[in-house]
Structures are given as structure tokens and as C-alpha cells.
Amino acid sequence: MATGGTVPAALNVGIVPLPNFTLNAFASFIDALRLAADERDRSRPIRCRWEVMSHDGRMIPASCGVSITATGTFLSPERFDYVVVIGGLLGHDEDKEDPVLDYLRQAASQGVALVGICTGVFAMARAGLLDGRKACVSWLHYQDMIDRFDTVEPDASRLFVADGKRITCAGGVGAARLAAWMIERHLGRDLAQKALSIMMVENSRATATPQPQPPVAQSVRDPRVARAILLLEEKLSDPPRIDQLAHTIGISRRQLERGFREELGMSFGNFSRALRLDHGLWLVLTTDRSILDITLECGFNGQSHFATLFRKAYGLTPTEARGLPLLDRDALMQSKLRFRPRVSNDQKTH
């Protein structure tokens, strides 16, 4: 058990990793708690405390092959401010999760806030605890959520979503951002910032911080165009010409240009510029990096050139976009990012 002194902690968290959970999400979340709990990185669970639980108290395997030891079996949910379920691989040992689902339902009945991280969100949905709610999932599992649960509205645009006492997170390093949000609510902004700084994670601007854009190549059917997009995404700061890509892929420039028009409705040149501008928009709104640095990363020749194209695409300059209130930044991101996973018309209603 994570214990520390006799003074009650301001933040108490029960963590339930599912079999084949994602180690990155688990470590990111719990390390943020650890760093906020004590002075410097001494790691004593003083300000906040946590339990890692399983229904039988045994070791729990992560998807990478590493196993962790639970600190104990399920404790009464009312001991915690949050009960957090962390998933990983879908379709693995789901028949063994019934005790976890029962525990989540018990926690919900006692009014404890529930948190799903990575595919832990799917466990919450299987327990019937997300019906009629919006649930944050990774873009990788967006379609899986649609296919499995028609009563849940998936959201792959943000790192995490707080809907009352139902909180869902896409996973990965986003779990550290979620933990920092919880720390800030219970312990203050300084300790949240301390945890992220030590972990070398850029501070989140808001709960609406968007997920990094998914690979655009997933939205096209032509494998030659998909490969060209992947090659372009790898070199945004020094974008290759279409004849270079065509030579690498082994087709003619004309064939590749036709593929871009058929798949994306625009020329390769227009696509390359739009993709790099979208990346620039994301960096402007979600990081504190200088506009010059962003200009160079996105492969534009000069800051003024980037600002001109940015204004034409989004209606304001990078500096003006960065100066928007948080909600307006989120609205701009939601309305202007152009390249997302393809969704059929009947899926758009979910």
C-alpha cells in the first residue's frame, strides 16, 4: 500500500490496470502523482496517495510483456477521489474483466469519479457507465468505439474529456496531462506544473488540448498515395518535391499527381502546403514554441511567408491565434483542421 504519514492526503486515487494494459499510460499517470506528492522527487505519498489494485491481488501483465505487482485487492471505492481503470490491447482476456466492471459499477453507485485511460474507456462502456455521454478515445480506436457501442459518442479530438464524474483519456503521455489536471484541482497549479516539468512534458493549456493529428495516410485507399503522404510527414521541415516522391515509390509524377487529386481532391502542392499549415496551427495553439521555430519545422521560407499563408488559411495571424481565449482556440482547432480519419456518412451521426 502507498502510505505516508498520518495527515490525510488531499488526493486519493485507486488504479486498476486491466490485463495487457499500456505501460506508457500507466507510468505517465502514476509518475505525475508521485512527483506532486512530495518535495522534489523524494516520492513519498504525502499530498496524494494511490493504490494499484487487481481483483485477486496478483501481478498484472502489460501489453509490452512487463508485469507489475498490485498493492492489494479491490478496496472500498469510497476511500478514493477517483477510481482509474487503465486498458491496452482490445479483445484480449475481456472475459476476465467482469470483476473490474462490477467494481466500477460499485464505485459509480457510491458517487466516486471514474476515470478511463486508453482502452479503459471501453471497460467503462461495457459496464454501462458511459451511455449517452461523450467519451475520449485515441483516434486509433475511434472506429472500434463506434462499432461496439452505439450509446456512446466517441471524441478523438482531445487528450481527455471530463464529463462530470466520468473522465476519459486517450492514453499515452496524455495520461500525464490528465493527472496534472487532477493534481491542479486538488493540490494547486504549482504542483501540477512541477510534475509536468520534471517529466519534461509541455504544460497543457486546457482540458481541450487536442490530440496530435493522426497519420493522414490512414484516410486514403491508394497505397501509393498513402506511402507518399507518410514520406512527406517524415520530412515536414524539408518537404520533398513530387518528382522525388514518385521516383522513391516507383511510379510516374503524373500517376502520383492523379492519385492525390482522386484521393484528396487537390494537387500534391496544395496538399503539402495545407498539411504543413495544419501542423503549424496545432503547434501555435498547443505549444509555447516561437513562431520562427514553428515556421522552420513546418518547412516554410520565412516567418512572414508563413504568417501570410496562415492568415489566408485560418483568417488570422499565428500571433493573433495564440492570443485567443482558450475556448476560442479550441473552436479554431475544431473547425479548421482539415485532415482527419475518414468517416462514412452513417458514422457521423454518432
Side-chain angles (χ1 to χ4, degrees):
M1 176 177 176
T3 59
T6 58
V7 178
L11 174 59
N12 293 278
V13 182
I15 303 173
V16 183
L18 296 173
N20 296 298
F21 69 95
T22 303
L23 189 60
N24 183 20
F26 172 83
S28 296
F29 181 82
I30 203 169
D31 235 21
L33 298 182
R34 175 183 71 86
L35 292 166
D38 197 2
E39 300 299 328
R40 296 179 61 82
D41 61 347
R42 297 176 67 186
S43 304
R44 296 172 301 173
I46 298 173
R47 299 187 186 99
C48 55
R49 298 175 189 164
W50 53 92
E51 297 281 352
V52 179
M53 303 175 291
S54 66
H55 77 280
D56 55 10
R58 296 180 180 178
M59 297 187 74
I60 311 160
S63 58
C64 64
V66 173
S67 293
I68 63 168
T69 303
T71 55
T73 55
F74 293 151
L75 298 171
S76 175
E78 63 187 1
R79 296 180 52 155
F80 305 114
D81 299 297
Y82 304 90
V83 168
V84 180
V85 57
I86 303 177
L89 298 180
L90 284 177
H92 290 254
D93 301 323
E94 288 185 3
D95 57 329
K96 298 180 181 180
E97 294 177 7
D98 287 347
V100 175
L101 305 190
D102 289 340
Y103 183 65
L104 294 177
R105 296 185 187 104
Q106 179 187 357
S109 70
Q110 294 180 5
V112 178
L114 298 179
V115 180
I117 297 178
C118 194
T119 61
V121 178
F122 286 74
M124 290 175 63
R126 283 196 297 276
L129 300 171
L130 292 177
D131 290 350
R133 295 177 182 264
K134 182 174 288 189
C136 179
V137 294
S138 164
W139 56 264
L140 183 64
H141 295 302
Y142 180 86
Q143 189 62 51
D144 295 313
M145 181 63 77
I146 288 175
D147 292 341
R148 293 183 179 214
F149 303 103
D150 58 7
T151 59
V152 180
E153 181 183 354
D155 183 346
S157 67
R158 289 176 280 180
L159 291 178
F160 64 93
V161 171
D163 184 357
K165 292 192 174 183
R166 302 290 188 273
I167 304 165
T168 49
C169 174
V173 180
R177 297 273 184 85
L178 169 59
W181 175 78
M182 293 162 60
I183 292 165
E184 182 171 343
R185 294 184 72 196
H186 293 264
L187 303 174
R189 182 175 180 80
D190 288 346
L191 288 174
Q193 179 58 50
K194 171 203 169 186
L196 291 180
S197 296
I198 295 176
M199 295 174 72
M200 300 184 186
V201 175
E202 287 190 89
N203 190 22
S204 173
R205 291 179 177 273
T207 59
T209 298
Q211 293 182 35
Q213 299 173 64
V216 182
Q218 291 211 357
S219 68
V220 302
R221 299 180 179 90
D222 188 328
R224 300 169 301 177
V225 176
R227 188 179 177 200
I229 293 172
L230 289 172
L231 292 170
L232 177 60
E233 288 182 318
E234 290 174 357
K235 298 182 179 181
L236 289 180
S237 61
D238 185 21
R241 301 188 305 273
I242 188 170
D243 53 344
Q244 294 174 312
L245 291 176
H247 176 74
T248 300
I249 296 168
I251 60 176
S252 70
R253 171 176 177 156
R254 184 176 179 180
Q255 286 176 304
L256 186 56
E257 184 68 64
R258 183 169 63 247
F260 269 90
R261 291 189 181 279
E262 290 176 352
E263 287 284 347
L264 297 159
M266 64 179 73
S267 69
F268 168 79
N270 287 339
F271 172 80
S272 174
R273 185 182 307 110
L275 179 67
R276 289 180 287 125
L277 281 170
D278 265 17
H279 186 54
L281 175 65
W282 183 72
L283 291 173
V284 164
L285 295 181
T286 64
T287 76
D288 294 321
R289 293 170 61 177
S290 71
I291 303 302
L292 177 58
D293 188 31
I294 293 172
T295 298
L296 295 175
E297 177 165 328
C298 297
F300 291 103
N301 296 322
Q303 190 169 327
S304 61
H305 181 227
F306 173 60
T308 298
L309 294 174
F310 192 98
R311 178 190 283 276
K312 184 176 181 180
Y314 308 122
L316 66 177
T317 67
T319 301
E320 291 169 343
R322 181 165 279 177
L324 290 173
L326 293 177
L327 291 178
D328 289 342
R329 282 189 223 149
D330 182 47
L332 178 63
M333 181 74 71
Q334 298 299 318
S335 64
K336 294 298 186 180
L337 278 183
R338 287 160 284 188
F339 299 111
R340 300 183 181 278
R342 179 174 292 169
V343 180
S344 64
N345 289 333
D346 60 334
Q347 293 163 356
K348 291 177 182 177
T349 59
H350 291 281

